[in-house]
Each structure stands twice: as C-alpha cells, then as structure tokens.
Amino acid sequence: DQQVKQNSPSLSVQEGRISILNCDYTNSMFDYFLWYKKYPAEGPTFLISISSIKDKNEDGRFTVFLNKSAKHLSLHIVPSQPGDSAVYFCAAKTQGGSEKLVFGKGTKLTVNP
Amino acid sequence: DTGVSQDPRHKITKRGQNVTFRCDPISEHNRLYWYRQTLGQGPEFLTYFQNEAQLEKSRLLSDRFSAERPKGSFSTLEIQRTEQGDSAMYLCASTASGTAEQYFGPGTRLTVT
C-alpha cells in the first residue's frame, strides 16, 4: 500500500516559469513532510520540509504548501532554473519510534532553457 | 565534517557471495537509517539505529541481511548469499534526535550477476 503518492512521473517546464510538484498521502499520523532532490548516481539531497501543523513554508525559490484536509502537499519552484532538473521525492515522517521516512516514487522535473 | 559517506560506491558481485557496505554518518548524529532504492521507486526503509542499538527492522530485511553500528559511530550492512533481487542502491541517512530532516549519503550501487 502506497502511503505517499506522486502521481506525475515527469514534468517539463520552461526556464523562468513556475514548477509545481504534487504529492498525496493517506496516513493522518505523519507529522512532517519533506522534499528531496536527487541527481543520478547521488543520494537524495534535503530541500525543504513542513510540519503538519503548518500550511506553508518558504525557502528562497522553494515553497511547500500543505492541505491537511485533502492530504495533499505541493512544492512550488519559482523561477525554475535548468539546474533544478532532477528527480524530486516527497517523503513523510512517521511519529515516534524510528521516525522513518516514507517516500513517494518521485517526479522527474526537466527545466528547459 | 562533509556529510554522510558510504563505501564502496559500487559493488558487483556474483549470486551467492556475501557483501558488506559501510556508512559513516555525520559525527554528531545519533540516529542512523538504511534504505534501499530500486529503479522507478523511492527509497524504502530497511533498518534504524539509535546510537548502537538497532531499534527497528523492516520486513524487507530478510534473515540474509544484518546490520551493526558498533560504538554508535559507523554502521555496516551485510548481505549473505546475495540474490539477483538484491540489486539496488543502498542508502544510508543520519539525523539528530528531535530533527525531522535526514541527511543521505551517496549510496552504494549493488549489482548481483
């Protein structure tokens, strides 16, 4: 059972425009949500996170929005740059115990010059 | 400290052989995680250490897999009698207690022929 879903395997945008990556989850007990960026042959790099008690977190060009009632979050990148081209993973942190991360399958973002 | 390191970066082995991977976490991090990533999937949790204690194991971790973290510093993941289905990227991550963000190493790519 996929507790974290990224339904778009790929997304292509023009440089300078907004990139919106989406993520849905099913488990109401997740207490933090995180976005990671991954280049080929490298490990995931932490990008931005949001607590389940917030609805928005912003860091430079990156903003994450959380809609708890819809169990949906999104990552906005404005403006998009060619260096943003990578696979983006949405992850959710379980509460208590190991606090392991549960990942979606990823969305491959391509930013065209 | 430059982050989480993993060794080797690549390992090719024949079916039935044993392999061992090493992870050196960020020095002040007491929590260490192992994940496995296969093609087209996000990382999947394998096991978790708090200091030297292994506190959680996924059902993905068959009895051919064993992990240790002696003295609460580096960790090793051993796979005995490797199978072709073990081919994957093995990722290590670390974090400090009370922190949601996990920081990943570059991974070890295992190919079982």
Side-chain angles (χ1 to χ4, degrees):
Chain A
D1 61 330
Q2 273 257 278
Q3 295 186 68
V4 177
K5 297 180 185 180
Q6 293 178 258
N7 292 318
S8 299
S10 63
L11 175 67
S12 183
V13 300
Q14 284 300 118
E15 181 178 5
R17 305 295 291 269
I18 184 171
S19 296
I20 300 177
L21 297 102
N22 293 303
C23 177
D24 297 293
Y25 63 95
T26 57
N27 188 340
S28 301
M29 299 305 291
F30 291 137
D31 66 346
Y32 255 92
F33 301 91
L34 305 92
W35 285 93
Y36 284 83
K37 176 179 177 180
K38 188 178 184 303
Y39 294 116
E42 294 184 11
T45 301
F46 169 70
L47 205 53
I48 191 169
S49 65
I50 186 167
S51 164
S52 61
I53 62 172
K54 301 279 181 69
D55 55 18
K56 178 182 175 181
N57 187 27
E58 191 170 356
D59 184 2
R61 297 185 298 115
F62 303 91
T63 303
V64 57
F65 296 92
L66 176 62
N67 182 334
K68 283 184 67 177
S69 60
K71 293 191 174 68
H72 177 83
L73 63 153
S74 60
L75 173 68
H76 293 212
I77 306 173
V78 183
S80 301
Q81 299 173 354
D84 295 330
S85 298
V87 178
Y88 288 78
F89 289 97
C90 170
K93 187 178 80 66
T94 57
Q95 276 190 70
S98 69
E99 300 191 329
K100 62 181 176 282
L101 299 181
V102 179
F103 284 83
K105 292 187 177 183
T107 297
K108 183 176 182 180
L109 173 66
T110 302
V111 180
N112 301 302
Chain B
D1 191 296
T2 56
V4 179
S5 61
Q6 292 186 245
D7 183 71
R9 294 290 306 273
H10 304 275
K11 179 72 176 178
I12 300 174
T13 191
K14 292 186 177 178
R15 189 175 54 187
Q17 297 294 303
N18 299 344
V19 294
T20 300
F21 310 141
R22 178 182 169 120
C23 169
D24 286 89
I26 293 171
S27 57
E28 60 267 28
H29 287 177
N30 62 334
R31 292 177 168 232
L32 185 148
Y33 301 80
W34 285 96
Y35 291 84
R36 180 171 69 185
Q37 185 178 17
T38 54
L39 197 63
Q41 304 293 319
E44 293 177 287
F45 169 77
L46 291 179
T47 190
Y48 156 67
F49 289 85
Q50 180 160 323
N51 300 312
E52 67 277 5
Q54 186 176 20
L55 298 182
E56 187 171 333
K57 292 194 286 189
S58 162
R59 64 180 184 276
L60 292 176
L61 213 65
S62 77
D63 56 7
R64 297 184 297 105
F65 288 70
S66 62
E68 293 182 340
R69 193 184 182 195
K71 303 178 183 177
S73 55
F74 71 92
S75 176
T76 59
L77 178 68
E78 181 183 15
I79 309 174
Q80 296 183 326
R81 305 180 303 281
T82 52
E83 301 173 356
Q84 287 190 316
D86 297 330
S87 296
M89 173 77 87
Y90 290 84
L91 294 161
C92 176
S94 70
T95 190
S97 290
T99 305
E101 299 83 13
Q102 295 181 16
Y103 295 90
F104 283 81
T108 294
R109 167 74 64 189
L110 173 67
T111 302
V112 181
T113 62

